């Protein structure tokens, strides 16, 4: 079997909390990402799903090395990049790109679209010939379904969906093998979301791209992802093939997220049991003891308050961190 494109092993990103004006003293630690492991094969899409504050975006930033990690290992295209400095990351960064959540805030409003899309080519010294540069931008615009004669316009002249296509064209400029999509459709209308997801899917088929697709609910990732990892409070609590996860979610948190996904059939929708998770996500500054989900879990048992369930391989590509399934 071929090596995965990306291997993340026991990744931790902790932030010290400091107090004091002159003599600063560490008074705590935010466990934003706390032991996350997964692999991503070439041409695959892995969904990383969880409520806001669960550490999914920090995981994405750490993979890109835009955020230092506290511990763990990140391997990309067979190379350990965990401690690479800026200069070492420069050639690798071309192969890993990001599409951001906010198509309104992530594009410089003072730059024309051709400059926005072409900026990575300039930064990486790949824009020597003006004619070839213009042709490459036109090609990138066509690739994402935009007309090249819009290249002289500014971002405010485009709709939200078109702006996200500009962001995707910019990410494609360096011909990356991995694109981290950080909630790329959550700021868009539902009707536009499907269009952008379709663009990403077509590009994957055509260019063999690999995606880490970050989202806060399971409805968005359903059509795009081959596998889904569910995160809660800095950890992966369940990871499985998409169909297995949607047909039979095992972790109570996955079950709750799944019960919030709307079903098209109104009869089924009316008869469905909705699992409502009570309360807010606890603070990553002071995560609950035992199973981190026990303070909100409708199935919590006494042991869940003290015993931390390990993410356990149940076979067929599924792992779950819950005492109900691991039996440990
Ligand atoms: Fe719920 Fe206990 Fe399973 Fe945690 S280990 S998800 S609290 S049943």
């Amino acid at each position: 079997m071929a090596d995965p494109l990306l291997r993340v092993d026991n990744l931790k990103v902790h932030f010290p909390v400091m107090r004091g004006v002159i003599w600063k003293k560490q008074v705590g630690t935010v466990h934003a990402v706390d032991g996350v492991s997964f692999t991503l094969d070439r041409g695959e899409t892995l969904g990383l799903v969880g409520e806001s504050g669960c550490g999914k975006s920090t995981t994405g930033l750490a993979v890109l090395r835009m955020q230092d990690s506290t511990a763990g290992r990140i391997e990309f295209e067979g190379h350990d990049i965990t401690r690479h400095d800026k200069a070492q990351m420069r050639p690798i960064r071309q192969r890993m790109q990001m599409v951001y959540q906010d198509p309104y805030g992530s594009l410089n409003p003072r730059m024309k679209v051709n400059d926005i899309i072409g900026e990575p080519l300039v930064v990486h010294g790949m824009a020597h010939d003006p004619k070839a540069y213009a042709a490459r931008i036109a090609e990138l615009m066509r690739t994402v379904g935009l007309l090249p004669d819009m290249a002289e316009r500014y971002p405010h002249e485009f709709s939200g969906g078109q702006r996200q296509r500009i962001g995707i064209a910019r990410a494609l400029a360096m011909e990356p093998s991995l694109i981290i999509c950080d909630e790329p459709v959550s700021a868009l209308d539902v009707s536009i979301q499907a269009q952008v997801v379709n663009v990403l899917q077509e590009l994957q088929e055509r260019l063999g791209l690999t995606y880490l697709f970050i989202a806060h609910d399971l409805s968005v990732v359903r059509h795009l992802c081959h596998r889904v990892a569910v995160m809660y409070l800095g950890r992966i609590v369940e990871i499985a093939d998409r169909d297995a996860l949607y047909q039979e979610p095992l972790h109570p948190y996955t079950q709750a997220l799944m019960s919030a996904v709307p079903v098209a059939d109104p009869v089924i929708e009316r008869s469905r049991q909705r699992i409502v998770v009570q309360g807010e996500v606890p603070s990553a500054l002071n995560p609950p003891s035992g199973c981190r989900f026990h303070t909100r879990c409708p199935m919590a048992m006494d042991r869940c308050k003290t015993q931390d369930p390990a993410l356990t391989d149940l076979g067929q590509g599924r792992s779950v961190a819950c005492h109900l399934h691991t039996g440990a």
Side-chain angles (χ1 to χ4, degrees):
M1 223 168 126
D3 284 341
L5 179 75
L6 177 71
R7 185 188 294 278
V8 174
D9 193 18
N10 201 22
L11 180 70
K12 294 186 182 180
V13 182
H14 294 174
F15 299 106
V17 179
M18 311 299 280
R19 285 263 165 79
V21 181
I22 300 171
W23 289 284
K24 289 202 181 291
K25 192 175 157 209
Q26 184 173 343
V27 293
T29 303
V30 174
H31 301 77
V33 179
D34 210 16
V36 163
S37 303
F38 61 87
T39 57
L40 195 45
D41 288 331
R42 288 163 205 274
E44 185 187 31
T45 301
L46 174 69
L48 199 54
V49 178
E51 285 162 288
S52 109
C54 72
K56 54 195 190 303
S57 294
T58 309
T59 301
L61 290 173
V63 167
L64 283 172
R65 299 285 292 107
M66 291 163 78
Q67 168 64 57
D68 283 339
S69 51
T70 311
R73 181 181 164 98
I74 302 160
E75 217 176 86
F76 176 68
E77 294 183 333
H79 302 287
D80 181 359
I81 62 165
T82 322
R83 300 284 160 236
H84 272 21
D85 60 23
K86 264 190 182 162
Q88 289 172 303
M89 276 308 292
R90 204 173 149 85
I92 293 165
R93 188 60 55 67
Q94 298 177 17
R95 313 274 303 136
M96 319 165 92
Q97 293 288 317
M98 188 148 191
V99 174
Y100 293 92
Q101 174 178 10
D102 180 6
Y104 301 90
S106 61
L107 306 179
N108 187 334
R110 293 186 197 86
M111 283 170 78
K112 289 180 181 170
V113 166
N114 53 2
D115 294 327
I116 291 171
I117 296 174
E119 193 180 35
L121 299 170
V122 176
V123 168
H124 289 279
M126 295 168 72
H128 307 297
D129 175 357
K131 223 170 154 186
Y133 175 74
R136 177 76 178 127
I137 288 166
E139 183 196 356
L140 286 163
M141 290 187 74
R142 273 194 294 269
T143 302
V144 297
L146 291 171
L147 295 173
D149 58 14
M150 294 167 144
E152 291 289 322
R153 296 190 192 172
Y154 289 91
H156 73 266
E157 297 176 73
F158 292 84
S159 67
Q162 287 175 320
R163 284 184 222 203
Q164 202 50 295
R165 286 171 194 251
I166 296 167
I168 296 168
R170 181 188 159 94
L172 290 176
M174 301 309 300
E175 300 181 12
S177 52
L178 171 66
I179 298 185
I180 297 186
C181 305
D182 188 5
E183 306 223 26
V185 297
S186 48
L188 303 173
D189 289 348
V190 175
S191 57
I192 309 296
Q193 286 184 359
Q195 290 175 17
V196 174
V197 166
N198 287 343
V199 168
L200 289 168
Q201 205 158 21
E202 280 166 31
L203 291 173
Q204 181 168 54
E205 282 160 20
R206 197 151 24 115
L207 306 173
L209 295 168
T210 305
Y211 297 131
L212 180 63
F213 194 98
I214 296 167
H216 64 262
D217 69 50
L218 282 165
S219 57
V220 172
V221 299
R222 184 168 204 151
H223 298 290
L224 191 67
C225 296
H226 301 98
R227 286 186 301 137
V228 180
V230 177
M231 271 189 88
Y232 185 78
L233 214 55
R235 294 203 179 147
I236 290 176
V237 295
E238 181 163 9
I239 183 164
D241 286 346
R242 183 224 8 222
D243 291 344
L245 191 100
Y246 280 81
Q247 275 160 23
E248 194 189 3
L250 295 183
H251 195 282
Y253 181 58
T254 316
Q255 290 169 354
L257 289 181
M258 194 68 77
S259 80
V261 174
V263 172
D265 185 330
V267 179
I268 297 176
E269 178 68 24
R270 268 199 298 276
S271 64
R272 276 198 324 152
Q273 192 195 352
R274 184 130 304 155
I275 303 168
V276 180
V277 175
Q278 304 294 332
E280 297 290 314
V281 184
S283 166
L285 183 60
N286 196 8
S289 60
C291 173
R292 292 183 176 197
F293 189 52
H294 86 258
T295 54
R296 303 171 78 199
C297 179
M299 296 170 198
M301 308 167 279
D302 278 348
R303 64 186 293 206
C304 302
K305 294 178 190 162
T306 52
Q307 293 173 26
D308 189 1
L311 186 66
T312 305
D313 185 353
L314 302 186
Q316 298 183 318
R318 181 188 289 239
S319 297
V320 180
C322 172
H323 294 309
L324 292 170
H325 301 285
T326 58

